[in-house]
């Protein structure tokens, strides 16, 4: 069985949906198709939920109307047979009637989550009906019946498999199942989400649960690039990445994948293929446990980083100091990304500032605290990159912009640099030039 996930732009118009259909038909074997909402729809749902919160009826009615029209128009263009179409439209009306009750009922965190996942309910319903109208006997699976993800960081894939298997009864060699990305049932059995962009994560969670042969993630980009193409010219897609390299890049800002996507499949060595729906003939990126080449491979950047410095003479020659500091972050459920220390100070970074005030309050007793917001972590990745003959050149960046922190040697595969966000684009370009420009094609050293 294969798991194929298609993102918002892949299901964003009738033409792209037709494209998705031919991609699916070109792939042999049984498959589970995970779909996102049509592009822009989850943002619209966030807006709907915000307007309910504000009690803004006029905007609410307008947004509900525009959500409805978007999907009605899609069905109009996608299904030409008028009899089939009118049945599909009736089904759609029914879904919208339920949605209407939901958004005009009592508002709570629970109903907000139900609103948020409605885009995936719509896209999967329409896609399934479209395939059936083309005489493809697809089966729609309700993710709410099996995506039991109590622990967002560490889903119990065995439990998911147990709930999913009873629905996978079709023995046809090329059975097609369709289900909603993004949705999860939390540990209190409430409907919730896998966070924005979480449909990628749905795909690998399902992939690990059913021991899939592979997971394919279809987007509108031709794979992971060696630098951020939004800011840097002459980037190129990477045909192979190890799980570790891809996990670092996804976490440190490469927008192509939800940061947690890689983790469920690592242990089972299930490869992930990143492919472009609009240029399916291109190779894309294969992420697997294979290591194809060593050395410098890619650069990415993550914004919204806050640096915290704790300076204390009590740290001098004392043991247990770091433990106490880390306990504070642990207590406030805040992950630390980068750390550097000197004999009397420690600097670290966080990206989640929800509990920053509480953290600072607790840190105060340990010394003098400095906080700097609006920083970016630039992450340079590649298996064994520390041994690459070109790596030293990244330190030339120190001549060109102020660097707040550097983390080198934490692993052999990653160097992270912290800069003020206003210098990020310059740093990405300069690093690209230094590390990749002399050898424009294969940068990885062959060992
Ligand atoms: N539709 C959701 C979002 O826009 C989930 C996803 O597309 O991955 O965040
Ligand atoms: Mg996405």
């Amino acid at each position: 069985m294969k798991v194929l996930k298609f993102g918002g732009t892949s299901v964003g118009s009738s033409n792209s949906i037709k494209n998705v259909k031919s991609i699916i038909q070109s792939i042999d074997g049984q498959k589970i198709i995970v779909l996102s909402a049509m592009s822009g729809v989850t943002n619209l749902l966030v807006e709907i939920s915000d307007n309910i919160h504000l009690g803004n009826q006029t905007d609410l009615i307008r947004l509900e109307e525009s959500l409805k029209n978007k999907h009605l128009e899609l069905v109009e263009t996608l299904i030409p047979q008028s009899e089939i179409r009118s049945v599909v439209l009736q089904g759609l009306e029914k879904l919208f009637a339920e949605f209407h009750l939901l958004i005009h009922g009592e508002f709570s965190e629970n109903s907000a989550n139900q609103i948020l996942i409605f885009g995936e309910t719509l896209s999967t319903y329409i896609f399934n009906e479209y395939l059936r109208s083309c005489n493809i006997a697809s089966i729609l699976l309700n993710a709410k019946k099996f995506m039991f993800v109590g622990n967002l960081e560490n889903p119990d894939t065995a439990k998911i498999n147990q709930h999913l298997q009873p629905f996978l009864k079709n023995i046809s060699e090329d059975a097609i199942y369709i289900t909603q990305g993004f949705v999860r049932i939390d540990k209190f059995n409430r409907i919730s989400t896998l966070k924005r962009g979480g449909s990628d994560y749905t795909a690998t969670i399902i992939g690990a649960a059913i021991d899939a042969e592979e997971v394919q993630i279809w987007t509108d980009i031709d794979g992971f690039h060696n630098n951020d193409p939004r800011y840097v010219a002459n980037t190129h897609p990477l045909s192979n990445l190890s799980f570790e390299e891809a996990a670092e890049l996804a976490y440190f800002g490469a927008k192509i994948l939800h940061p947690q996507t890689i983790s469920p499949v690592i242990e089972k060595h299930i490869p992930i293929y990143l492919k472009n729906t609009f240029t399916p003939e291109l190779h894309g990126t294969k992420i697997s446990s294979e290591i194809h080449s060593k050395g410098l491979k890619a650069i990415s950047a993550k914004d919204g980083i806050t640096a915290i410095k704790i300076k204390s003479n009590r740290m001098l020659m004392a043991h247990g100091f770091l433990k106490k500091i880390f306990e504070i972050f642990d207590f406030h459920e805040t992950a630390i990304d980068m750390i550097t220390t000197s004999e009397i100070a420690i600097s670290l970074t966080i990206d989640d500032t929800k509990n920053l005030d509480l953290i600072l309050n607790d840190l105060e007793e340990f010394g003098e605290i400095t906080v700097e917001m609006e920083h970016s972590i630039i992450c340079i990745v590649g298996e064994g990159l520390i041994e690459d003959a070109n790596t030293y050149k990244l330190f030339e960046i120190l001549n060109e912009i102020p660097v707040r922190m550097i983390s080198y040697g934490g692993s052999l595969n990653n160097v992270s640099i912290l800069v003020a966000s206003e210098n990020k684009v310059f740093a990405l370009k300069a690093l690209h030039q230094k590390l990749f420009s002399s050898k424009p094609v294969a940068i990885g050293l062959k060992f």
Side-chain angles (χ1 to χ4, degrees):
M1 185 97 84
K2 291 176 181 149
V3 180
L4 279 60
K5 179 259 168 176
F6 292 89
T9 48
S10 306
V11 293
S13 70
S14 61
N15 277 340
S16 43
I17 290 181
K18 288 176 186 164
N19 229 357
V20 171
K21 179 189 136 227
S22 33
I23 290 170
I24 291 173
Q25 285 182 303
S26 71
I27 295 165
D28 291 338
Q30 299 192 324
K31 21 196 182 287
I32 298 183
I33 315 294
V34 175
L35 298 184
S36 288
M38 288 176 81
S39 51
V41 164
T42 312
N43 287 345
L44 204 60
L45 294 167
V46 170
E47 236 186 292
I48 286 181
S49 156
D50 289 348
N51 278 290
I52 303 174
H53 203 58
L54 297 169
N56 204 337
Q57 281 298 321
T58 336
D59 281 343
L60 191 57
I61 292 166
R62 177 182 56 82
L63 293 166
E64 186 183 0
E65 205 56 27
S66 110
L67 181 73
K68 201 167 165 179
N69 288 338
K70 196 178 168 90
H71 290 87
L72 291 177
E73 279 162 22
L74 178 67
V75 173
E76 295 287 346
T77 45
L78 204 54
I79 304 182
Q81 312 93 313
S82 59
E83 271 170 38
I84 304 181
R85 188 174 62 228
S86 73
V87 176
V88 177
L89 288 174
Q90 276 171 27
L92 202 55
E93 288 292 348
K94 221 172 123 220
L95 291 174
F96 272 106
E98 286 165 20
F99 184 69
H100 185 79
L101 291 180
L102 180 64
I103 64 175
H104 293 283
E106 205 179 313
F107 188 66
S108 63
E109 194 188 326
N110 203 13
S111 63
N113 280 332
Q114 292 187 43
I115 292 169
L116 227 51
I117 61 154
F118 186 53
E120 275 71 11
T121 308
L122 290 168
S123 64
T124 49
Y125 167 74
I126 294 174
F127 187 64
N128 183 49
E129 293 299 333
Y130 167 61
L131 290 188
R132 298 188 136 254
S133 77
C134 303
N135 293 321
I136 300 171
S138 52
I139 297 164
L140 188 58
L141 303 178
N142 183 352
K144 289 174 221 155
K145 296 264 172 13
F146 61 85
M147 278 300 284
F148 292 96
V149 180
N151 180 344
L152 207 48
E153 277 75 43
N154 192 11
D156 180 351
T157 52
K159 178 174 176 182
I160 292 165
N161 189 39
Q162 199 190 345
H163 285 88
L164 176 54
Q165 282 306 331
F167 298 112
L168 306 180
K169 287 270 166 61
N170 188 330
I171 40 154
S172 140
E173 262 174 32
D174 44 15
I176 298 176
Y177 299 96
I178 295 164
T179 195
Q180 303 81 29
F182 193 39
V183 180
R184 72 166 174 132
I185 303 297
D186 72 8
K187 62 178 173 211
F188 305 109
N189 277 329
R190 295 172 311 199
I191 292 173
S192 186
T193 72
L194 294 171
K195 304 232 173 105
R196 292 305 304 272
S199 298
D200 300 336
Y201 196 27
T202 306
T204 50
I205 293 175
I206 294 180
I210 63 166
D211 253 318
E213 231 171 285
E214 62 187 57
V215 175
Q216 300 180 5
I217 297 193
W218 291 82
T219 67
D220 52 5
I221 313 175
D222 48 357
F224 264 112
H225 277 231
N226 66 339
N227 202 330
D228 194 327
R230 289 171 301 177
Y231 307 116
V232 181
N234 301 325
T235 63
H236 64 80
L238 298 158
S239 40
N240 290 283
L241 284 172
S242 68
F243 284 128
E244 199 176 320
E245 289 169 336
E248 299 263 17
L249 290 173
Y251 184 70
F252 287 108
K255 284 283 175 298
I256 183 167
L257 270 191
H258 181 277
Q260 273 156 314
T261 310
I262 314 289
S263 61
V265 294
I266 296 183
E267 252 176 55
K268 294 194 168 174
H269 301 279
I270 300 169
I272 303 174
Y273 293 84
L274 298 184
K275 298 277 292 178
N276 188 338
T277 305
F278 304 95
T279 48
E281 66 284 1
L282 296 183
H283 178 278
T285 302
K286 178 182 180 186
I287 303 166
S288 68
S289 40
E290 298 156 17
I291 295 175
H292 281 255
S293 64
K294 288 197 162 195
L296 286 164
K297 219 171 262 171
I299 305 171
S300 67
K302 181 176 177 175
D303 298 327
I305 304 294
T306 298
I308 303 170
K309 182 167 76 189
I310 306 123
K311 192 171 160 210
S312 167
N313 290 329
R314 280 163 53 193
M315 196 175 159
L316 197 64
M317 322 248 334
H319 60 81
F321 187 82
L322 290 180
K323 176 169 180 265
K324 288 180 197 137
I325 300 287
F326 290 157
E327 269 166 2
I328 293 173
F329 287 85
D330 184 33
F331 182 77
H332 294 293
E333 295 179 349
T334 300
I336 297 170
D337 284 330
M338 272 178 86
I339 312 167
T340 53
T341 65
S342 79
E343 195 47 49
I344 56 156
I346 165 170
S347 278
L348 45 81
T349 70
I350 59 172
D351 71 343
D352 177 0
T353 50
K354 212 169 46 244
N355 295 326
L356 182 60
D357 288 343
L358 298 170
I359 292 172
L360 296 179
N361 214 12
D362 289 356
L363 285 175
E364 250 163 29
E365 68 165 291
F366 291 94
E368 195 186 308
I369 315 293
T370 320
V371 179
E372 292 160 90
M373 319 279 283
E374 308 227 2
H375 275 62
S376 300
I377 293 179
I378 297 185
C379 174
I380 299 129
V381 165
E383 288 285 341
L385 101 128
I386 283 187
E387 287 149 7
D388 189 305
N390 270 327
T391 295
Y392 76 94
K393 293 184 187 160
L394 72 87
F395 293 100
E396 289 170 9
I397 194 83
L398 291 168
N399 276 334
E400 295 175 30
I401 51 164
V403 170
R404 174 65 185 80
M405 288 166 67
I406 294 186
S407 170
Y408 176 94
S411 90
L412 291 176
N413 311 331
N414 164 309
V415 178
S416 299
I417 297 177
L418 185 72
V419 298
S421 294
E422 60 185 18
N423 292 327
K424 175 189 80 173
V425 173
F426 178 85
L428 286 175
K429 287 183 175 158
L431 286 166
H432 198 76
Q433 168 76 25
K434 288 176 198 313
L435 300 177
F436 297 144
S437 282
S438 54
K439 289 197 227 163
V441 201
I443 297 300
L445 290 182
K446 295 271 184 201
F447 277 53

